[in-house]
């Protein structure tokens, strides 16, 4: 387990809210070894070393120690290990950045770096606001061997080997989200990206994840991303307008403030039930609930006769061997449940509530 110390958020947070300047941090590190999860899975799958180190990227995802987050991380890590050494993969090492401030019982299963959460009350119940702060701490204190970083999330499943999609160090790869629309939110976005910075087309329709980015570039962006996130949350109009995607807009704006344009890759990810086929995509993002009647018809917004929704398992992991959806349900949903079932069947100790 590795641990980063808290940011000295010195005095009032008015400075953070009032300035676009990158936060200055004074940090002291405390560290010890984080588990042997990678070695254990390598032994299980009899894996061998893959592609050259120069193109590899470090996989990093932020998480908490609640069961809802833990079971998703376990599935995500399982499929990372399944894909890591396959031909065409540029997957490097893996880190779960745990922003609960203390170790949990997955330390020996998943390589983990413990960081501190924001000061109590600062996230205003919006736990995702801890994500940029977690990355700031990790990037400042961790030893990262790869030149690139993939920012991922617990509810991501790799469905095929993922190459480095970035186009060199100055052009990261990102996924375009249909609901991130800077030009339609011009009044709000201009509060944080003034006209003198350039046209709104400079702000990419992305969030921080999934993004593959040069680690030096991310070190520059991350404090600004944190700063903008806090300022957005502190602004009532912005908070109301952006809601649960506020932190995503903050990353898009922070990147634009640094003059960074992302290569937009629609093949980076798919999101059931809206995306119907896996096709040539690399990641399944199961953020949306999948509800169907027994005719295979989508009943989104209404609990279906058959459903898979991660929010059904807030207090503990889903059971092994989930039922497959009825005939007529899209291939993407079938694949999602099949991949979840494979992971849960093979992860030792599945089904245990992990808060110990």
């Amino acid at each position: 387990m590795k641990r980063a110390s808290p940011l000295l958020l010195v005095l009032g947070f008015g400075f953070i809210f009032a300035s676009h300047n990158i936060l200055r941090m004074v940090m002291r590190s405390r560290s010890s070894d984080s588990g042997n999860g990678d070695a254990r899975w390598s032994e299980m799958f009899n894996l061998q070393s893959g592609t050259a180190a120069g193109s590899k990227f470090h996989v990093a995802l932020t998480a908490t120690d609640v069961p809802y987050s833990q079971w998703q991380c376990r599935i995500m890590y399982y499929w990372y290990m399944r894909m890591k050494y396959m031909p065409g993969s540029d997957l490097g090492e893996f880190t779960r950045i745990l922003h609960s401030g203390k170790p949990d019982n997955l330390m020996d299963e998943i390589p983990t770096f413990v960081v501190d959460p924001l000061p109590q009350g600062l996230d205003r119940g919006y736990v995702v606001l801890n994500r940029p702060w977690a990355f700031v701490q990790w990037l400042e204190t961790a030893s990262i061997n790869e030149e690139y970083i993939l920012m991922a999330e617990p509810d991501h499943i790799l469905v095929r080997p993922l190459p480095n999609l970035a186009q060199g160090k100055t052009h990261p790869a990102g996924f375009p989200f249909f609901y991130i629309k800077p030009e339609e939110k011009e009044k709000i976005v201009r509060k944080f990206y003034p006209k003198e910075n350039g046209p709104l087309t400079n702000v990419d329709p992305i969030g921080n994840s999934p993004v593959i980015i040069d680690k030096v570039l991310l070190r520059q962006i991350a404090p600004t991303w944190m700063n903008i996130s806090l300022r957005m949350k502190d602004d009532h109009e912005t908070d109301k307008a952006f809601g649960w995607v506020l932190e995503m807009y903050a990353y898009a704006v922070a990147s634009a403030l640094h003059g960074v344009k992302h290569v937009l890759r629609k093949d980076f990810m798919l999101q059931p039930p809206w995306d119907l086929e896996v096709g040539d995509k690399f990641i399944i993002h199961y953020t949306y609930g999948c509800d169907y009647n027994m005719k295979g018809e989508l009943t989104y917004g209404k609990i279906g006769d058959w459903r898979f929704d991660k929010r059904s398992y807030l207090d503990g992991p889903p059971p092994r061997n989930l039922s497959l959806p009825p005939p007529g349900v899209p291939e993407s949903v079938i694949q999602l449940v099949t991949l979840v079932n494979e992971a849960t069947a093979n992860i030792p100790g599945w089904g245990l509530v992990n808060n110990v």
Side-chain angles (χ1 to χ4, degrees):
M1 184 268 299
K2 299 179 181 178
R3 179 175 176 81
S5 68
L7 173 68
L8 299 182
L9 285 174
V10 194
L11 304 175
F13 296 104
F15 169 77
I16 298 176
F17 300 139
S19 171
H20 282 292
N21 294 333
I22 295 176
L23 296 172
R24 301 297 296 177
M25 288 152 290
V26 180
M27 307 182 73
R28 55 188 175 83
S29 64
R30 295 163 285 172
S31 66
S32 61
D33 290 337
S34 172
N36 60 352
D38 194 71
R40 189 175 82 173
W41 287 106
S42 295
E43 182 178 352
M44 176 182 290
F45 296 132
N46 191 28
L47 301 175
Q48 303 297 321
S49 181
T51 57
S55 61
K56 287 184 177 292
F57 50 84
H58 195 109
V59 180
L61 67 156
T62 57
T64 69
D65 61 359
V66 300
Y68 176 68
S69 178
Q70 287 187 326
W71 68 256
Q72 293 175 54
C73 288
R74 298 182 82 190
I75 292 174
M76 198 281 183
Y77 186 64
Y78 173 89
W79 282 105
Y80 155 81
M81 288 304 304
R82 292 289 276 142
M83 297 293 169
K84 181 176 180 180
Y85 298 105
M86 293 183 67
S89 170
D90 285 324
L91 295 166
E93 296 175 8
F94 185 104
T95 299
R96 179 182 62 135
I97 308 173
L98 184 64
H99 55 75
S100 300
K102 62 184 187 300
D104 66 0
N105 70 320
L106 293 184
M107 306 299 293
D108 290 334
E109 179 177 334
I110 304 175
T112 298
F113 191 94
V114 178
V115 299
D116 290 294
L118 289 166
Q120 187 173 7
L122 189 59
D123 65 11
R124 297 170 179 83
Y126 179 53
V127 68
V128 182
L129 209 60
N130 287 279
R131 181 176 293 154
W133 168 216
F135 269 104
V136 167
Q137 294 174 83
W138 179 64
L139 290 163
E140 286 291 325
T141 57
S143 177
I144 305 166
N145 295 323
E146 297 85 353
E147 295 182 13
Y148 293 86
I149 292 167
L150 165 64
M151 291 187 283
E153 295 181 17
D155 60 355
H156 285 177
I157 294 178
L158 288 162
V159 293
R160 64 191 186 105
L162 179 60
N164 189 339
L165 302 177
Q167 293 185 3
K169 295 183 176 297
T170 57
H171 290 88
F175 175 77
F177 289 91
F178 68 87
Y179 47 79
I180 302 297
K181 301 177 179 180
E183 292 179 289
E184 291 187 10
K185 303 285 187 180
E186 179 172 6
K187 178 185 175 183
I188 302 296
V189 173
R190 283 302 189 190
K191 290 185 176 185
F192 310 94
Y193 190 76
K195 288 184 178 180
E196 56 265 28
N197 288 94
L200 284 180
T201 52
N202 289 346
V203 181
D204 292 323
I206 61 170
N208 83 291
S209 175
V211 163
I212 298 177
I213 185 170
D214 173 67
K215 68 182 176 184
V216 175
L217 194 56
L218 184 57
R219 283 194 183 109
Q220 296 169 4
I221 294 172
T224 310
W225 172 29
M226 174 187 169
N227 188 354
I228 297 296
S229 295
L230 291 170
R231 291 181 57 221
M232 284 183 172
K233 190 64 179 176
D234 194 52
D235 183 274
H236 178 73
E237 183 182 24
T238 303
D239 188 23
K240 183 178 180 180
F242 288 164
W244 63 276
V245 297
L246 180 148
E247 166 268 340
M248 297 173 69
Y249 270 101
Y251 176 80
V253 169
S255 299
L257 289 170
H258 284 270
V260 175
K261 289 291 291 180
H262 295 70
V263 179
L264 302 181
R265 296 288 301 249
K266 291 185 178 180
D267 60 345
F268 211 155
M269 190 168 75
L270 71 147
Q271 302 184 98
W274 311 119
D275 295 307
L276 305 182
E277 298 179 353
V278 174
D280 62 353
K281 308 297 195 301
F282 294 102
I283 295 171
I284 290 180
H285 182 209
Y286 55 98
T287 189
Y288 297 103
C290 300
D291 286 274
Y292 293 87
N293 62 29
M294 297 314 291
K295 296 179 181 179
E297 298 167 336
L298 183 66
T299 63
Y300 193 77
K302 177 183 177 182
I303 294 178
D305 299 317
W306 181 94
R307 75 177 332 220
F308 177 77
D309 188 336
K310 65 179 185 178
R311 295 162 192 83
S312 299
Y313 307 103
L314 296 175
D315 298 324
R320 285 174 164 158
N321 196 28
L322 293 168
S323 65
L324 293 177
V329 169
E331 181 261 347
S332 63
V333 179
I334 298 171
Q335 181 80 329
L336 166 60
V337 178
T338 300
L339 296 176
V340 168
N341 280 344
E342 177 179 331
T344 61
N346 288 285
I347 295 174
W350 187 260
L352 298 177
V353 175
N354 296 317
N355 266 350
V356 298

